[in-house]
Amino acid sequence: MEGEVDPASASKDEALFWTRIYGEISEMEEQVLARVKELMAAQSETARREVRLTNVPVIEAQSARFHERLGFWEERLRQLR
C-alpha cells in the first residue's frame, strides 16, 4: 500500500498505524462479503451462481490479502513489545 514501510524495519508507531489500517480494511472486507452473501439470498439461482463464481472470489482474495498484511504487522508489533 502507498506509504507502507517494510515491517521488518518498522518502528512501534509505524507498526501500530499499519495494524490499525489493515484491521479496518480487513473488517470492512468481511462486512462486504457478508452483505454480498445476504443480497445473493434474494437473487435467482442463475444470478447467485454468477455472483458466486465472479464477485465472491474477488472479495475473498482481497480479504485474504489484507488479512495477510495485518498478520505481518501484528507480528512486528509483537516483536517490538
Side-chain angles (χ1 to χ4, degrees):
M1 187 178 307
E2 186 177 326
E4 186 176 4
V5 297
D6 180 7
S9 62
S11 70
K12 186 175 181 181
D13 286 342
E14 289 169 323
L16 283 168
F17 174 81
W18 289 107
T19 299
R20 188 178 72 248
I21 295 301
Y22 279 110
E24 289 175 14
I25 295 170
S26 292
E27 184 179 326
M28 183 195 68
E29 289 293 328
E30 290 173 13
Q31 291 172 357
V32 167
L33 185 57
R35 180 66 175 136
V36 166
K37 289 180 177 182
E38 187 179 301
L39 292 168
M40 287 170 60
Q43 294 181 313
S44 67
E45 179 55 37
T46 302
R48 268 195 309 274
R49 181 178 181 280
E50 186 62 24
V51 171
R52 193 170 37 251
L53 293 173
T54 58
N55 298 66
V56 171
V58 171
I59 297 167
E60 289 175 335
Q62 288 174 325
S63 182
R65 181 177 149 284
F66 290 127
H67 190 73
E68 181 180 336
R69 295 304 301 165
L70 174 59
F72 289 138
W73 285 109
E74 288 173 335
E75 177 58 30
R76 179 60 178 160
L77 204 50
R78 278 190 290 278
Q79 292 169 356
L80 292 168
R81 288 187 173 155

